[in-house]
Amino acid sequence: MTTHPSQQGTIGRAFHAAFPYTIPILTSFIFLGLTYGIYMRAAGFSFWYPMLMSLTIFAGSVEFIAANLLLGAFHPLQAFALTLMINARHLFYGISMLDKYKHTGWRKFYLIFGMCDESFSINYTAAIPAGVDQGWFMFFVTLLNHCYWVLGATLGGIFGATIPFNTEGLNFVLPAMFIVIFLEQWLKDKNHTSGILGLALSLLCLLCFGADGFILPSMIAILTALTLLRKPLEKGGDLQ
C-alpha cells in the first residue's frame, strides 16, 4: 500500500510536533522501565517477560504487580479485580477523551490501548500547532511513549543481571514529571478554578480515605464537580 505525498507530509508534521512533548517521558520511562526490567530479572524471569509484558500490557503499576501474580497461585478473579482497581482512573481518562478520539479512524483502537497517564496528560492539554493533524499527533504521542517504556523494560531485562544499578529515588521520577505538567498548565491558564478544585478535592479525599485509597474517590469527586460546573467554567475559559 502506497502513501500519498500529502499524507506523508501530514504524518511527518504530526511526528515532529509530537516528539518534543514526549522528551520528558523518554527520560522517566527509560529509568522506570530499567527498574522494572531489573526487578523482573531479580525475580527470576528472562528478559523476554518484561519485554513482552511492557509491549502487550503497557501499564507500569500492573506490570510490577504481575510479577508477584506470576510467582503465586493462579487466581484469575483476584488478578482481574486488582487490575481493575489499580487502573480504574483510566475510566475517567476515557470519558475525557471521547470527543478528541471521535474522528481518529483506525487509530482510535491503538489510542485506547496505549492511553497511559502520560499520554493522556499530553494529548488532553497540548496546544497542537496549526496545520498539524490532531489524530496523528495523539497517535505519535502514544506510540513514542509506548516505545520508550518497552525499550527501558527490555534493556533492564537484558542488562539487569550484569550491571549493578541503584534504583533508590527513581520512584519519584513520575510524580516530579506530573508536577511539571501541572505547573505548565497552571501557567498557561488564566482561570485556575479547576486546578484549585482538583487540589482541594484530592486533599479532602486524602484526609478521608488515606494514602492507599484516595485516588478513585478523588477522581469521582473531581469528575462530578467539573461536570456540574462545566458551563460556568467554560464561560470563564477554564475548560477547553
Side-chain angles (χ1 to χ4, degrees):
M1 183 178 65
T2 58
T3 305
H4 194 275
S6 62
Q7 186 179 8
Q8 290 179 346
T10 299
I11 295 173
R13 286 194 297 272
F15 177 84
H16 288 296
F19 176 68
Y21 282 92
T22 67
I23 292 176
I25 318 300
L26 168 63
T27 306
S28 61
F29 270 20
I30 289 295
F31 279 105
L32 285 174
L34 282 169
T35 305
Y36 169 61
I38 293 170
Y39 174 76
M40 288 291 288
R41 198 62 185 265
F45 294 98
S46 167
F47 83 94
W48 289 102
Y49 281 85
M51 183 181 74
L52 293 177
M53 289 171 67
S54 62
L55 182 65
T56 57
I57 299 176
F58 192 37
S61 53
V62 173
E63 290 175 48
F64 276 95
I65 293 172
N68 294 325
L69 295 176
L70 290 172
L71 293 172
F74 182 59
H75 295 294
L77 292 179
Q78 180 184 0
F80 173 78
L82 185 61
T83 302
L84 180 63
M85 181 178 65
I86 292 172
N87 281 340
R89 65 191 185 280
H90 286 236
L91 295 171
F92 304 101
Y93 293 170
I95 293 172
S96 301
M97 298 301 288
L98 285 175
D99 290 335
K100 290 181 178 290
Y101 285 177
K102 186 178 295 183
H103 302 295
T104 54
W106 60 267
R107 291 161 295 184
K108 181 189 299 184
F109 299 101
Y110 180 70
L111 290 170
I112 293 171
F113 162 76
M115 185 171 59
C116 61
D117 299 327
E118 297 74 21
S119 297
F120 167 76
S121 298
I122 295 174
N123 287 333
Y124 189 77
T125 62
I128 302 175
V132 173
D133 182 86
Q134 178 177 288
W136 280 113
F137 176 91
M138 294 189 296
F139 175 83
F140 281 121
V141 166
T142 306
L143 177 64
L144 287 168
N145 289 341
H146 192 184
C147 291
Y148 302 152
W149 179 252
V150 174
L151 177 62
T154 303
L155 291 177
I158 293 174
F159 299 110
T162 58
I163 299 177
F165 189 73
N166 184 6
T167 60
E168 184 178 357
L170 286 181
N171 57 340
F172 190 68
V173 171
L174 281 183
M177 183 193 65
F178 279 115
I179 291 173
V180 172
I181 292 174
F182 173 80
L183 290 176
E184 182 180 359
Q185 187 68 19
W186 179 277
L187 293 173
K188 186 175 71 173
D189 292 336
K190 295 181 179 179
N191 188 339
H192 303 305
T193 304
S194 60
I196 295 172
L197 189 64
L199 290 173
L201 291 174
S202 298
L203 179 60
L204 179 62
C205 290
L206 176 63
L207 295 174
C208 293
F209 299 99
D212 295 330
F214 84 100
I215 293 180
L216 187 57
S218 63
M219 287 190 168
I220 294 174
I222 292 171
L223 178 64
T224 302
L226 292 180
T227 300
L228 294 174
L229 298 174
R230 182 176 180 84
K231 289 185 177 180
L233 287 175
E234 284 180 337
K235 290 181 180 178
D238 200 35
L239 285 179
Q240 297 177 351

